[in-house]
């Protein structure tokens, strides 16, 4: 039987391995992004980026059941009753296997249509077609395999997920670097990239069954009726996931269809900095979802409110100065990532707008959505997410015609800020049963005060030690280290408050 404070006992090991993984991913990402940007032709790079943007859409094939499995395992861990979850988990697993086969069949049937839709140049069609096939074979296999990391997360063993992903990242970095430098074919590059992403998830199965005694995936546990009790939650989670993907994954598709796949490379140059910022900033909140599920299963509302308030303070204290840091040094960061000597206005505008959208989402939604989803508040979140996604997509299509790739970024920024401030924050206040002013004062204001020293230090660096156009990794590293240390010092008290 799980101890009442399982999530707290594992919080720091989960979080530290999160950051080890993300640091390796960021470091490897810098190397691989620059290599792919330089060694792949613009059309190949755009096609590669577009396919990887589609990778995230596999979660749409689970109808929210992957997230439901994480919740079910987390709740089972609160009482040690894993056998009771076998019917649900086995049913979802075998359903995902069938969905993976169906996905592959549909992808094969649509291959020619897809290549025509994204305007693949004739001279690249054969290679792009093979890369497309490789991508979807592994994508289909990855659908059921993706359940196992979700189960480990539900068991509060995010650290084990991270070690598997770290191994995959190391193999990915070594093989892709060798392949790009030695001129391997585009399909071979795609094979390395997608295989090293899927295989760690499959390996997680061994760790799940060691730590969840009684849990079984044998076909005799397949029982479709077991899904009925969680279908409402699953469908809401599915729709929220779908709207999140519209906001995060369709920009490349909009650009490809409206102005051509080659322009994705321009967008990606600005997008990458915001992506790295968001990836780094969300790691501290990764343990909130299974923690909230476990506390909600035990009916511990006081602990839930503490979890929400403390995590919001911590997030505010850390993400504000880090967002300012990324925005201030956007140009040298993009030059480092891409090797470009000149950063055009479209790249700058795209980067700043997406960093702003990421900061807004982190402040207003990253903690509250994780907690509220596990406490029966998924339907109000659904309505907010649908409005946000529809506005995002509509504005992106409208603005790309007039402002190019920067218009697509603006289509993300505007609804993200408005929905977060005027919808998610009031909803969170209702959940806490406190006025919005009290939520802002208790959860946000201490975090903003904690961020002031790091923000002042950044301002001093910009004034007294400005960075020039020839700046490289060492110039960015020491400035980032100073601001990062000040950020950590300012937010340390809030980090500790989440642990206790």
């Amino acid at each position: 039987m799980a101890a009442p404070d399982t999530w707290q006992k594992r919080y720091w090991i989960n979080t530290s391995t999160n950051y080890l993984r993300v640091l390796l991913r960021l470091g490897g990402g810098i190397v691989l992004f620059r290599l792919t940007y330089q060694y792949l032709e613009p059309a190949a790079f755009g096609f590669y980026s577009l396919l990887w943007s589609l990778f995230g859409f596999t979660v749409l094939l689970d109808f929210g059941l992957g997230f439901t499995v994480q919740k079910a395992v987390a709740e089972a861990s609160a009482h040690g009753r894993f056998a009771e979850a076998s019917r649900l988990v086995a049913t979802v697993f075998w359903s995902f296997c069938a969905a993976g086969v169906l996905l592959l069949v549909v992808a094969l049937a649509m291959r020619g249509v897809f290549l025509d839709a994204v305007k693949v140049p004739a001279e690249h069609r054969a290679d792009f077609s093979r890369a497309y096939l490789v991508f979807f074979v592994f994508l289909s296999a990855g659908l059921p395999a993706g359940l196992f990391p979700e189960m480990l997360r539900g068991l509060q063993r995010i650290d084990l997920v991270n070690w598997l992903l770290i191994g995959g990242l190391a193999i990915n970095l070594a093989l892709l670097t060798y392949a790009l430098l030695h001129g391997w074919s585009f399909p071979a590059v795609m094979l390395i990239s997608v295989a090293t992403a899927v295989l760690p998830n499959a390996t997680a199965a061994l760790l799940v069954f060691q730590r969840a005694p009684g849990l079984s995936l044998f076909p005799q546990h397949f029982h479709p009726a077991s899904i009925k009790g969680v279908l409402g939650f699953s469908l809401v989670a599915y729709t929220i996931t779908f709207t999140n993907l519209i906001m995060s994954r369709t920009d490349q598709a909009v650009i490809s269809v409206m102005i051509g796949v080659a322009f994705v490379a321009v967008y990606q140059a600005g997008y990458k900095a915001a992506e790295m910022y968001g990836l780094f900033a969300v790691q501290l909140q990764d343990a909130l979802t299974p923690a909230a599920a476990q506390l909600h299963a035990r009916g511990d509302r006081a602990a839930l409110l503490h979890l929400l308030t403390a995590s919001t303070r911590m997030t505010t204290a850390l993400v504000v100065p880090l967002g300012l840091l990324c925005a201030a040094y956007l140009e040298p960061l993009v030059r480092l990532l891409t090797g470009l000597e000149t950063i055009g206005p479209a790249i700058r505008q795209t980067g700043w707008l997406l960093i702003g959208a990421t900061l807004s989402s982190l402040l207003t939604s990253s903690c509250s959505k994780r907690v509220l989803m596990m406490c029966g508040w998924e339907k109000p979140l659904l309505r907010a997410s649908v409005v946000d996604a529809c506005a995002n997509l509509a504005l992106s299509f409208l603005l790309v015609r007039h402002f190019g790739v920067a218009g697509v970024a603006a289509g993300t920024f505007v609804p993200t800020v408005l929905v977060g401030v005027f919808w998610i924050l009031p909803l969170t206040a209702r959940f806490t049963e406190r006025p919005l002013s009290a939520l802002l004062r208790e959860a946000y204001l201490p975090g903003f005060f904690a961020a002031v020293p790091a923000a002042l230090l950044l301002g001093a660096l910009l004034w007294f030690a400005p960075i020039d156009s020839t700046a490289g990794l060492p110039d960015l590293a020491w400035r980032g280290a100073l601001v990062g240390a000040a950020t950590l010092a300012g937010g340390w008290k809030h980090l500790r408050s989440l642990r206790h």
Side-chain angles (χ1 to χ4, degrees):
M1 180 173 178
D5 58 349
T6 297
W7 77 268
Q8 289 179 308
K9 286 183 175 180
R10 303 213 59 82
Y11 179 79
W12 289 115
I13 185 63
N14 287 338
T15 301
S16 62
T17 55
N18 268 357
Y19 273 101
L20 177 60
R21 172 182 55 82
V22 79
L23 287 173
L24 291 174
R25 179 175 173 182
L26 290 174
I30 290 172
V31 174
L32 291 177
F33 186 84
R34 180 159 182 165
L35 286 174
T36 53
Y37 200 91
Q38 290 184 326
Y39 283 88
L40 294 178
E41 296 184 12
F45 178 84
F47 191 74
Y48 180 85
S49 301
L50 177 60
L51 285 182
W52 271 107
S53 74
L54 296 176
F55 190 86
F57 281 94
T58 54
V59 298
L60 296 182
L61 300 177
D62 73 355
F63 297 97
L65 292 170
F67 193 64
T68 302
V69 163
Q70 180 188 146
K71 183 174 185 286
V73 172
E75 291 174 343
S77 72
H79 306 288
R81 299 172 182 169
F82 295 110
E84 296 178 6
S86 292
R87 277 191 172 184
L88 173 63
V89 175
T91 303
V92 174
F93 175 78
W94 291 107
S95 299
F96 279 19
C97 289
V101 173
L102 180 61
L103 170 64
L104 183 58
V105 171
V106 172
L108 291 175
M110 296 294 294
R111 177 163 43 171
V113 175
F114 181 85
L115 295 176
D116 291 337
V118 299
K119 304 176 178 65
V120 171
E123 64 271 21
H124 295 305
R125 191 173 182 92
D127 268 357
F128 283 25
S129 179
R130 286 191 289 270
Y132 175 96
L133 176 61
V134 167
F135 178 81
F136 276 100
V137 166
F138 278 90
L139 188 66
S140 301
L143 184 59
L147 275 179
F148 298 114
E150 295 294 334
M151 295 182 211
L152 284 176
R153 292 176 184 277
L155 292 168
Q156 319 294 335
R157 294 310 304 264
I158 298 171
D159 58 318
L160 296 178
V161 177
N162 286 330
W163 288 121
L164 291 173
L165 294 176
I166 287 168
L169 287 170
I171 297 171
N172 174 272
L173 176 61
L175 292 181
L176 271 184
T177 300
Y178 185 89
L180 290 166
L181 292 178
H182 289 79
W184 286 17
S185 68
F186 182 45
V189 169
M190 182 61 74
L191 173 62
I192 294 169
S193 183
V194 71
T196 53
V198 171
L199 292 179
N201 291 346
T203 308
L206 299 174
L207 302 177
V208 168
F209 295 116
Q210 289 176 357
R211 288 157 179 82
L215 186 67
S216 172
L217 294 183
F218 286 127
Q220 59 262 36
H221 293 296
F222 186 84
H223 189 254
S226 65
I227 295 178
K228 291 182 180 179
V230 297
L231 190 59
F233 176 85
S234 297
L235 291 178
V236 171
Y238 171 80
T239 308
I240 290 175
T241 300
F242 178 71
T243 58
N244 288 339
L245 285 171
I246 288 177
M247 293 182 284
S248 65
R249 299 284 182 174
T250 56
D251 286 353
Q252 293 96 325
V254 170
I255 292 168
S256 298
V257 171
M258 299 296 291
I259 56 179
V261 71
F263 285 92
V264 174
V266 177
Y267 178 85
Q268 280 287 103
Y271 168 81
K272 197 65 179 179
E275 181 190 41
M276 292 171 65
Y277 164 51
L279 178 66
F280 188 82
V282 300
Q283 301 310 310
L284 285 164
Q285 299 115 21
D286 201 30
L288 298 184
T289 301
Q294 189 181 79
L295 293 173
H296 181 64
R298 292 171 45 219
D300 195 342
R301 180 167 174 79
L304 275 170
L305 294 179
H306 170 72
L307 178 70
L308 177 59
T309 302
S311 62
T312 301
R313 289 175 184 166
M314 172 198 69
T315 297
T316 304
L318 298 181
V319 304
V320 170
L322 293 180
L324 295 175
L325 178 69
C326 290
Y329 295 120
L330 176 65
E331 290 194 36
L333 181 57
V334 170
R335 280 195 293 269
L336 177 68
L337 290 169
T338 64
L340 294 172
E341 295 184 1
T342 303
I343 307 301
I347 295 176
R348 285 197 302 272
Q349 293 161 7
T350 297
W352 284 330
L353 285 167
L354 293 178
I355 289 170
T358 302
L359 174 59
S360 176
S361 178
L362 288 166
L363 288 175
T364 60
S365 305
S366 63
C367 297
S368 57
K369 281 188 174 182
R370 284 171 167 81
V371 175
L372 269 61
M373 271 295 294
M374 294 298 173
C375 299
W377 285 62
E378 62 271 11
K379 291 183 180 178
L381 289 175
L382 170 63
R383 290 190 286 270
S385 296
V386 168
V387 170
D388 196 355
C390 291
N392 185 311
L393 193 58
L395 282 175
S396 294
F397 271 109
L398 176 65
L399 296 177
V400 71
R401 294 180 177 274
H402 302 285
F403 303 104
V405 295
V408 175
T412 298
F413 174 80
V414 173
T416 298
V417 173
L418 293 180
V419 171
V421 171
F422 295 105
W423 199 320
I424 301 299
L425 285 181
L427 180 64
T428 305
R430 290 202 298 274
F431 172 78
T432 63
E433 300 179 348
R434 288 178 290 181
L436 178 59
S437 58
L439 175 68
L440 296 176
R441 183 175 61 254
E442 296 171 17
Y444 286 94
L445 194 58
F448 278 112
F449 280 137
V452 169
L456 292 176
L457 175 59
L458 175 60
L461 288 173
L462 292 172
W463 182 264
F464 294 107
I467 201 165
D468 59 37
S469 60
T470 63
L473 181 59
D475 300 284
L476 287 171
W478 73 262
R479 289 172 171 84
L482 284 178
V483 175
T487 300
L488 187 60
W492 184 250
K493 178 177 67 174
H494 302 304
L495 284 169
R496 287 179 56 84
S497 72
L498 185 61
R499 174 63 180 83
H500 299 289

